[in-house]
């Protein structure tokens, strides 16, 4: 294999990883056991994510541990202990009750990564309302669309975001009765139910008793990234905490005393499951940075906060690679013990870059909004095959199902056929893990369509090796059928990115009279390279030498602004629609580059 294997057993552990004997742990694992890592509400009154994340640590006498180390955009710093977070979220829950917001009603947040975002999330859950975070960079339409689907009753935001993005859409979201402003609100205090959050919190009691919470009570409403179409609203329940804790332990290898940094915004599921809950469930310290990506800033945070476990995304890894290793080498990054990434395929180059520059390989893992937690991962103690997303978490049963030419999965007498090792098919998971979504809000039919023969269909195409490692091939809709071959865009993009000139690549199939579809690549270049015909020919030859003529692109276009989601995923459907002159569809999550 071109990239070899990164062997782990030879490594001297700084801390013994939580998962060393993978097979033994998988064999003996049960979800009931996993649940015993949590306390449950006092008096056997059920399971509430916020109690597990915050209050139980206070009850155990650890209230003065630092829960959140916050870094403001312009250098401000705050530290929040578990006790402080517990009290302020209690007040938030009390304020919701004082406004007669009922259990099950939806509380949205449209906030930068500031402490009140975390307070709102926890307080909402304590009140048994459903928390739905929105990415603060959304424009008015995506906000209205999501508030409408979720019938949002409460929105927590800032004055500036409210004025720019919400004031103009209030009429289209009649269910929204309360707008709570974090910071100051300078206008008419009575304007359309808009109030200062601080005033409400000050008036609320310092303690809030969480009512009995059924683990199946809805807790979170998360919208998918909109990479393949209109974002869907996935509903998760309080039992998801079991999965957040379990994956924090095994996939992120969290240990007491860790300083953990998840770079994702809570507007995406990674930023709540791992940017709020998993680290708090483990009672460790998490870093929150309000600022945007900047290589020097990020390395500086790892250095100054002594981050030990870091969870980021391939797009960030590629941006760091683009910046050059000298920026990294100017910082002391030796606090890092474990680094992981999610959201898109992590190119083998990225894994190895981590090893060279951070001194640690990057551990790719796979999951999606619908699964609520990490499903397939590279683990701290296990070998890495760069380019593979790893193996299923203990308790997660994953398979590969054969699809016909129309993407259908054949069912015979209710039974489906798994693909033999090495063959491509759709990744499917056996339902039953606790953070599985319970529906797409307002689209029960689409939810039902996700299941076949007792499996949940993920929509992603993968391959599984003899050794149980899974390899991402592409999204079901993105796979290119050319002259009888099925080509995953990731493989082609990865090969192109091995060329020193290529920063990012997006690959699609375009109609071809002979082959059915032909592979076309769009690439953006690293600084210092010019989009010349000569370079184009060089890249065509480079790809052919790596992939063979059947898989290599027939055409390459230079595009400095590849369409990406705000969470950094290449939107191939947009490339394709533009190429074919078709409607581009929902663009609510498109990152504006200008
Ligand atoms: P939408 O469902 O709205 O099109 P989306 O699928 O991008 O958007 P998310 O739930 O945020 O929304 O992303 C999950 C998807 O991201 C996965 O189904 C998969 O396609 C991709 N993904 C996540 N992690 C990985 C990974 N490690 N390797 C490859 N692909 C990944
Ligand atoms: Mg999806």
């Amino acid at each position: 294999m071109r990239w070899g294997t990164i062997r782990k057993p030879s490594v001297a552990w700084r801390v013994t990883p939580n998962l060393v004997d993978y097979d033994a742990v998988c064999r003996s694992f049960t979800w009931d056991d996993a649940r015993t890592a949590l306390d449950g509400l006092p008096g056997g009154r059920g399971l509430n994510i916020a109690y597990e994340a915050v209050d139980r640590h206070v009850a155990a006498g650890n209230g003065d541990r630092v829960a959140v180390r916050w870094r403001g955009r312009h250098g401000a710093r705050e530290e929040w202990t578990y006790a402080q977070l517990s009290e302020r979220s209690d007040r938030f829950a009390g304020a919701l009750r004082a406004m007669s917001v009922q259990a099950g009603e939806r509380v949205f947040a449209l906030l930068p990564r500031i402490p009140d975002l975390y307070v709102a999330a926890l307080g909402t859950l304590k009140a048994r309302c459903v928390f739905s975070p929105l990415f603060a960079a959304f424009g008015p339409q995506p906000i209205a669309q999501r508030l409408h689907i979720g019938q949002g009753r409460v929105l927590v935001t800032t004055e500036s975001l409210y004025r720019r993005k919400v004031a103009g859409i209030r009429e289209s979201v009649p269910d929204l009765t309360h707008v709570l402003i974090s910071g100051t609100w300078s206008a008419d205090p009575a304007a359309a139910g808009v109030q200062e959050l601080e005033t409400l919190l000050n008036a609320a009691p310092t303690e809030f008793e969480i009512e009995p919470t059924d683990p199946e009570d809805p807790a979170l409403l998360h919208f998918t990234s909109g990479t393949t179409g209109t974002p869907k609203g996935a509903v998760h329940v309080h039992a998801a905490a079991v999965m957040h804790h379990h994956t924090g332990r095994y996939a992120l290898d969290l240990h007491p005393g860790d300083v953990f940094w998840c770079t994702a915004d809570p507007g995406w599921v990674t930023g709540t499951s791992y940017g709020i809950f998993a680290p708090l469930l483990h009672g460790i310290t998490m870093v929150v940075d309000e600022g945007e990506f900047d290589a020097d800033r990020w390395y500086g945070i790892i250095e100054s906060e002594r981050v030990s476990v870091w969870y980021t995304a391939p797009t960030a890894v590629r941006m760091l690679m683009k910046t050059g290793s000298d920026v990294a080498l100017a910082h002391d990054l030796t606090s890092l013990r474990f680094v992981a990434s999610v959201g898109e395929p992590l190119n083998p180059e990225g894994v190895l870059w981590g090893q060279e520059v951070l001194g640690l390989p990057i551990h790719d893992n796979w999951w999606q909004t619908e699964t609520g937690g990490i499903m397939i991962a590279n683990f701290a103690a296990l070998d890495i095959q760069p380019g593979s997303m790893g193996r299923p978490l203990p308790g997660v049963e994953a398979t590969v199902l054969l699809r016909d030419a129309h993407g259908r999965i054949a069912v015979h007498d209710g039974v489906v056929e798994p693909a033999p090792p090495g063959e491509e098919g759709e990744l499917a998971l056996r339902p039953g893990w606790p953070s599985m979504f319970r529906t797409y809000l307002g689209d029960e039919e689409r939810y039902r369509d996700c299941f076949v023969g007792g499996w949940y269909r993920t929509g992603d195409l993968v391959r599984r090796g003899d050794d149980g490692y899974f390899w991402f091939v592409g999204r079901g809709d993105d796979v290119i059928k050319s002259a009888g071959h099925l080509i995953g865009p990731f493989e082609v993009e990865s090969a192109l990115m091995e060329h020193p000139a290529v920063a990012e690549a997006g690959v699609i199939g375009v109609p071809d009279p002979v082959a059915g579809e032909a592979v076309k690549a769009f690439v953006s270049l690293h600084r210092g390279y010019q989009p010349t015909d000569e370079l184009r020919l060089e890249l065509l030859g480079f790809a052919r030498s790596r992939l063979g003529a059947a898989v290599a692109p027939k055409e390459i276009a230079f595009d400095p602004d590849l369409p990406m989601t705000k969470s950094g995923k290449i939107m191939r459907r947009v490339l394709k629609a533009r190429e074919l002159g078709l409607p581009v569809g929902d663009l609510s999550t498109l990152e504006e580059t200008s």
Side-chain angles (χ1 to χ4, degrees):
M1 182 179 316
R2 199 143 45 93
W3 296 95
T5 298
I6 299 177
R7 302 241 171 247
K8 294 290 191 56
S10 55
V11 171
W13 307 118
R14 234 190 284 175
V15 180
T16 307
N18 290 326
L19 184 68
V20 175
D21 190 341
Y22 175 81
D23 294 320
V25 174
C26 287
R27 261 196 314 274
S28 61
F29 179 84
T30 69
W31 288 113
D32 283 343
D33 285 348
R35 182 147 174 200
T36 61
L38 303 181
D39 292 356
L41 282 171
R45 291 178 309 132
L47 181 76
N48 185 294
I49 300 178
Y51 178 83
E52 300 300 329
V54 180
D55 295 1
R56 71 172 176 136
H57 303 304
V58 180
N62 294 318
D64 53 2
R65 274 196 205 156
V66 176
V68 180
R69 272 200 226 145
W70 178 76
R71 303 260 308 228
R73 194 180 297 273
H74 304 296
R77 279 164 181 273
E78 283 180 25
E79 279 196 352
W80 286 73
T81 63
Y82 277 89
Q84 289 169 321
L85 208 50
S86 171
E87 183 191 317
R88 197 165 164 91
S89 53
D90 268 4
R91 286 178 183 267
F92 190 96
L96 290 179
R97 277 296 176 276
M99 294 184 298
S100 302
V101 179
Q102 302 302 317
E105 292 195 293
R106 262 77 63 193
V107 176
F108 279 73
L110 176 73
L111 288 169
R113 290 181 293 280
I114 56 175
D116 275 347
L117 170 55
Y118 301 82
V119 169
L122 295 162
T124 299
L125 296 175
K126 285 184 173 180
R128 294 171 53 236
C129 296
V130 177
F131 183 66
S132 188
L134 297 172
F135 191 41
F138 279 151
Q141 280 324 308
I143 293 169
Q145 180 190 28
R146 288 163 180 73
L147 280 170
H148 177 76
I149 296 175
Q151 294 175 298
R153 176 90 196 279
V154 179
L155 174 70
V156 191
T157 185
T158 63
E159 171 157 3
S160 143
L161 287 169
Y162 181 77
R163 289 191 186 287
R164 285 185 288 132
K165 304 182 175 197
V166 184
I169 56 159
R170 283 299 293 275
E171 285 189 0
S172 64
V173 286
D175 294 310
L176 182 63
T177 44
H178 302 284
V179 176
L180 314 183
I181 302 289
S182 169
T184 47
W185 172 242
S186 55
D188 172 6
V194 184
Q195 312 174 62
E196 256 179 31
L197 176 63
E198 200 61 40
T199 315
L200 290 168
L201 296 184
N202 286 337
T206 52
E207 285 187 23
F208 179 86
E209 184 170 315
I210 301 175
E211 291 160 7
T213 309
D214 191 311
E216 283 301 306
D217 279 349
L220 302 161
L221 168 63
H222 258 298
F223 289 89
T224 60
S225 297
T227 314
T228 54
T230 306
K232 297 148 277 187
V235 175
H236 293 281
V237 299
H238 280 272
V242 178
M243 190 70 182
H244 300 151
H245 186 277
H246 171 61
T247 48
R249 177 179 181 192
Y250 287 142
L252 298 175
D253 199 40
L254 299 179
H255 282 72
D258 267 332
V259 177
F260 174 72
W261 184 25
C262 167
T263 59
D265 187 275
W268 316 113
V269 72
T270 307
T272 50
S273 294
Y274 299 100
I276 307 180
F277 303 128
L280 297 181
L281 288 163
H282 280 265
I284 61 171
T285 299
M286 67 183 198
V287 172
V288 173
D289 178 30
E290 189 193 2
E292 299 310 323
F293 174 84
D294 172 86
D296 200 45
R297 179 183 178 100
W298 278 29
Y299 291 131
I301 289 175
I302 294 173
E303 180 174 18
S304 62
E305 305 299 337
R306 309 292 299 154
V307 172
S308 53
V309 180
W310 190 35
Y311 194 24
T312 189
T315 177
V317 172
R318 289 197 291 271
M319 287 194 283
L320 292 172
M321 290 170 74
K322 211 167 166 176
T323 321
S325 47
D326 45 333
V327 188
L329 297 175
H331 294 272
D332 174 4
L333 306 175
T334 52
S335 58
L336 287 174
R337 192 188 75 242
F338 184 76
V339 183
S341 126
V342 71
E344 271 201 306
L346 179 65
N347 317 87
E349 288 221 300
V351 180
L352 299 177
W353 171 86
Q355 203 163 28
E356 274 166 40
V357 176
L358 308 175
L360 299 164
I362 300 179
H363 296 73
D364 186 22
N365 58 50
W366 179 97
W367 58 293
Q368 47 180 205
T369 308
E370 290 84 342
T371 69
I374 301 168
M375 295 282 114
I376 295 180
N378 284 288
F379 300 93
L382 305 187
D383 295 347
I384 296 181
Q385 298 176 24
S388 159
M389 34 199 220
R391 287 194 270 177
L393 265 286
V396 171
E397 192 187 345
T399 193
V400 183
L401 299 179
L402 288 174
R403 296 169 28 134
D404 68 16
H406 306 285
R408 288 178 305 225
I409 288 171
V411 188
H412 303 290
D413 299 329
V415 177
V416 289
E417 197 186 339
E423 221 163 290
E424 280 164 22
E426 185 166 341
L427 175 62
L429 304 163
R430 184 77 77 192
W433 71 93
S435 64
M436 170 71 173
F437 74 134
R438 299 300 196 263
T439 191
Y440 286 129
L441 195 67
D443 203 346
E444 189 63 30
E445 196 179 329
R446 185 160 193 175
Y447 172 73
R448 276 199 304 271
D449 285 349
C450 295
F451 298 90
V452 62
W455 292 92
Y456 163 66
R457 299 179 61 168
T458 66
D460 285 345
L461 296 187
V462 299
R463 212 160 5 93
R464 177 172 44 184
D466 287 330
D467 50 9
Y469 279 71
F470 283 76
W471 299 78
F472 186 78
V473 173
R475 296 180 179 252
D477 303 344
D478 284 344
V479 170
I480 302 159
K481 294 175 204 93
S482 184
H485 298 278
L486 274 185
I487 301 170
F490 166 53
E491 186 186 5
V492 182
E493 289 160 6
S494 240
L496 284 166
M497 277 189 264
E498 286 173 35
H499 190 282
V502 177
E504 298 263 16
V507 165
I508 59 167
V510 294
D512 181 275
V514 182
E517 276 189 304
V519 178
K520 176 163 184 178
F522 296 81
V523 299
S524 69
L525 299 177
H526 279 297
R527 234 179 290 133
Y529 288 91
Q530 296 307 316
T532 59
D533 279 339
E534 213 179 336
L535 179 58
R536 190 196 320 273
L537 287 175
E538 185 180 322
L539 291 177
L540 285 167
F542 179 84
R544 205 170 312 122
S545 70
R546 277 175 168 59
L547 298 166
V551 176
K554 302 279 174 296
E555 221 183 314
I556 292 182
F558 295 112
D559 183 345
D561 295 317
L562 291 175
M564 308 273 267
T565 64
K566 293 185 197 299
S567 52
K569 301 174 190 230
I570 292 171
M571 296 174 94
R572 298 183 191 86
R573 70 177 164 95
V574 174
L575 283 175
K576 191 150 182 168
R578 283 182 189 162
E579 177 72 17
L580 304 183
L582 297 170
V584 287
D586 186 292
L587 292 183
S588 61
T589 61
L590 180 72
E591 174 76 355
E592 283 106 38
T593 47
S594 52

Coordinates of all heavy atoms in Angstrom, one line a residue, residues 171-209:
E171 N -41.9 38.2 10.9 CA -43.3 37.9 10.4 C -43.4 36.5 9.9 O -44.4 35.9 9.9 CB -43.7 38.9 9.4 CG -44.1 40.2 10.1 CD -44.8 41.2 9.2 OE1 -45.0 40.9 8.0 OE2 -45.0 42.3 9.7
S172 N -42.3 36.0 9.3 CA -42.3 34.7 8.7 C -42.2 33.6 9.8 O -42.3 32.4 9.5 CB -41.3 34.5 7.6 OG -40.0 34.6 8.2
V173 N -41.9 33.9 11.0 CA -41.7 32.9 12.1 C -42.6 33.3 13.3 O -42.2 33.7 14.3 CB -40.3 32.7 12.5 CG1 -39.5 32.0 11.4 CG2 -39.6 34.1 12.8
P174 N -43.9 33.1 13.1 CA -44.9 33.6 14.1 C -44.8 32.8 15.4 O -45.2 33.3 16.5 CB -46.3 33.3 13.5 CG -46.0 32.3 12.4 CD -44.6 32.5 11.9
D175 N -44.2 31.6 15.4 CA -44.1 30.9 16.7 C -43.0 31.5 17.6 O -43.0 31.2 18.8 CB -43.6 29.4 16.4 CG -44.7 28.7 15.7 OD1 -45.9 28.7 16.1 OD2 -44.4 28.0 14.6
L176 N -42.2 32.3 17.1 CA -41.1 32.9 17.9 C -41.6 34.0 18.8 O -41.9 35.1 18.3 CB -40.0 33.4 17.0 CG -38.8 34.0 17.7 CD1 -38.1 32.9 18.5 CD2 -37.8 34.6 16.6
T177 N -41.8 33.7 20.1 CA -42.4 34.7 20.9 C -41.4 35.4 21.8 O -41.7 36.5 22.3 CB -43.5 34.1 21.8 OG1 -43.0 32.8 22.3 CG2 -44.8 33.8 21.0
H178 N -40.2 34.8 22.1 CA -39.3 35.4 23.0 C -37.9 35.5 22.3 O -37.4 34.5 21.8 CB -39.1 34.6 24.2 CG -40.4 34.4 25.0 ND1 -40.9 35.4 25.8 CD2 -41.2 33.3 25.1 CE1 -42.1 34.9 26.3 NE2 -42.2 33.7 25.9
V179 N -37.4 36.7 22.3 CA -36.0 36.9 21.8 C -35.2 37.4 23.0 O -35.5 38.4 23.6 CB -35.9 37.9 20.6 CG1 -34.5 38.1 20.2 CG2 -36.7 37.4 19.5
L180 N -34.1 36.6 23.4 CA -33.3 37.0 24.5 C -32.0 37.4 24.0 O -31.3 36.7 23.3 CB -33.1 35.8 25.4 CG -34.4 35.0 25.7 CD1 -34.1 33.8 26.7 CD2 -35.5 35.9 26.3
I181 N -31.6 38.7 24.4 CA -30.4 39.3 23.9 C -29.2 39.1 24.9 O -29.3 39.6 26.0 CB -30.6 40.8 23.6 CG1 -31.7 41.0 22.6 CG2 -29.3 41.4 23.2 CD1 -31.5 40.6 21.2
S182 N -28.2 38.4 24.4 CA -27.0 38.3 25.3 C -26.2 39.6 25.1 O -26.0 40.1 24.0 CB -26.2 37.1 24.8 OG -24.9 37.1 25.3
G183 N -25.8 40.2 26.2 CA -25.2 41.5 26.1 C -26.3 42.6 26.3 O -27.3 42.3 26.8
T184 N -26.0 43.8 25.8 CA -27.0 44.8 26.0 C -27.9 45.0 24.8 O -27.6 44.7 23.7 CB -26.3 46.2 26.2 OG1 -25.3 46.3 25.2 CG2 -25.7 46.2 27.6
W185 N -29.1 45.4 25.2 CA -30.2 45.7 24.2 C -30.5 47.1 24.3 O -31.0 47.6 25.4 CB -31.4 44.8 24.5 CG -32.6 45.1 23.6 CD1 -33.8 45.5 24.1 CD2 -32.8 45.0 22.2 NE1 -34.7 45.6 23.1 CE2 -34.1 45.3 21.9 CE3 -31.9 44.6 21.2 CZ2 -34.6 45.3 20.6 CZ3 -32.4 44.6 19.9 CH2 -33.7 45.0 19.6
S186 N -30.2 47.9 23.3 CA -30.3 49.3 23.4 C -31.6 49.9 23.0 O -31.9 51.1 23.2 CB -29.2 50.0 22.7 OG -29.2 49.6 21.3
A187 N -32.5 49.1 22.4 CA -33.7 49.7 21.9 C -34.9 49.6 22.9 O -34.7 49.1 24.0 CB -34.1 49.0 20.6
D188 N -36.0 49.9 22.4 CA -37.3 49.9 23.2 C -37.4 48.5 23.9 O -37.4 47.5 23.2 CB -38.4 50.1 22.2 CG -39.8 49.8 22.9 OD1 -39.8 49.6 24.1 OD2 -40.8 49.8 22.2
P189 N -37.4 48.5 25.2 CA -37.4 47.3 25.9 C -38.6 46.4 25.6 O -38.5 45.2 25.8 CB -37.4 47.7 27.4 CG -37.6 49.1 27.5 CD -37.4 49.7 26.1
A190 N -39.6 46.9 25.1 CA -40.8 46.1 24.9 C -40.9 45.6 23.4 O -41.9 44.9 23.1 CB -42.1 46.9 25.2
A191 N -39.9 45.9 22.6 CA -40.1 45.6 21.1 C -40.3 44.1 20.9 O -39.4 43.3 21.2 CB -38.8 46.1 20.4
A192 N -41.4 43.7 20.4 CA -41.8 42.4 20.0 C -41.1 41.3 20.8 O -40.5 40.4 20.3 CB -41.4 42.2 18.5
G193 N -41.3 41.3 22.1 CA -40.8 40.2 22.9 C -39.3 40.2 23.1 O -38.8 39.1 23.4
V194 N -38.6 41.2 22.7 CA -37.2 41.2 22.8 C -36.7 41.7 24.2 O -37.2 42.7 24.7 CB -36.5 42.1 21.8 CG1 -35.0 42.0 21.8 CG2 -37.0 41.8 20.4
Q195 N -35.9 40.9 24.9 CA -35.5 41.2 26.3 C -34.0 40.9 26.5 O -33.5 40.1 25.8 CB -36.2 40.4 27.3 CG -37.7 40.3 27.1 CD -38.3 39.3 28.1 OE1 -38.2 39.5 29.3 NE2 -38.9 38.2 27.6
E196 N -33.5 41.6 27.4 CA -32.1 41.3 27.8 C -32.0 40.0 28.6 O -32.7 39.9 29.6 CB -31.5 42.5 28.6 CG -30.6 43.3 27.8 CD -30.0 44.5 28.6 OE1 -29.8 44.3 29.9 OE2 -29.7 45.5 28.0
L197 N -31.1 39.1 28.2 CA -31.0 37.9 28.9 C -30.5 38.1 30.3 O -31.0 37.5 31.2 CB -30.0 37.0 28.1 CG -29.6 35.7 28.8 CD1 -30.8 34.7 28.9 CD2 -28.5 35.0 28.0
E198 N -29.6 39.0 30.5 CA -29.0 39.3 31.8 C -30.1 39.6 32.8 O -30.0 39.1 33.9 CB -27.9 40.4 31.7 CG -26.9 40.4 32.8 CD -26.1 39.1 32.9 OE1 -25.7 38.5 31.8 OE2 -25.9 38.6 34.0
T199 N -31.0 40.5 32.4 CA -32.1 40.9 33.3 C -32.9 39.7 33.8 O -33.2 39.5 35.0 CB -33.0 41.9 32.6 OG1 -32.2 42.8 31.9 CG2 -33.9 42.6 33.5
L200 N -33.2 38.8 32.8 CA -34.0 37.6 33.2 C -33.2 36.7 34.1 O -33.7 36.1 35.0 CB -34.3 36.8 31.9 CG -35.3 37.5 31.0 CD1 -35.4 36.8 29.6 CD2 -36.7 37.5 31.6
L201 N -31.9 36.5 33.8 CA -31.1 35.6 34.6 C -31.0 36.2 36.0 O -31.0 35.4 37.0 CB -29.7 35.4 34.0 CG -29.7 34.7 32.6 CD1 -28.2 34.5 32.2 CD2 -30.4 33.4 32.6
N202 N -30.8 37.5 36.1 CA -30.7 38.1 37.5 C -32.0 37.9 38.3 O -31.9 37.7 39.5 CB -30.4 39.6 37.4 CG -28.9 39.8 37.0 OD1 -28.1 38.9 37.2 ND2 -28.7 40.9 36.4
A203 N -33.1 37.9 37.6 CA -34.4 37.7 38.3 C -34.7 36.3 38.6 O -35.6 36.0 39.4 CB -35.5 38.3 37.4
A204 N -33.9 35.3 38.0 CA -34.3 33.9 38.2 C -33.6 33.3 39.4 O -32.5 33.8 39.8 CB -33.8 33.1 36.9
P205 N -34.2 32.3 40.0 CA -33.5 31.7 41.2 C -32.2 31.1 40.9 O -32.0 30.7 39.7 CB -34.5 30.6 41.6 CG -35.7 30.7 40.7 CD -35.4 31.7 39.6
T206 N -31.3 31.0 41.9 CA -30.0 30.4 41.6 C -30.0 28.9 41.4 O -29.1 28.3 40.9 CB -29.0 30.7 42.8 OG1 -29.7 30.3 44.0 CG2 -28.7 32.2 42.9
E207 N -31.1 28.3 41.8 CA -31.2 26.9 41.6 C -32.4 26.5 40.9 O -33.5 27.1 41.0 CB -31.2 26.2 43.0 CG -29.8 26.2 43.6 CD -29.7 25.4 44.9 OE1 -30.6 24.5 45.1 OE2 -28.8 25.6 45.7
F208 N -32.3 25.4 40.1 CA -33.4 24.9 39.4 C -33.4 23.4 39.5 O -32.4 22.7 39.3 CB -33.2 25.3 37.9 CG -34.3 24.8 37.0 CD1 -35.5 25.5 36.8 CD2 -34.2 23.5 36.3 CE1 -36.5 25.1 36.0 CE2 -35.3 23.1 35.5 CZ -36.4 23.8 35.3
E209 N -34.6 22.9 39.9 CA -34.6 21.4 40.0 C -35.1 20.8 38.7 O -36.2 21.1 38.2 CB -35.6 21.0 41.2 CG -35.5 19.5 41.3 CD -36.2 19.0 42.6 OE1 -36.0 19.6 43.6 OE2 -37.0 18.0 42.4

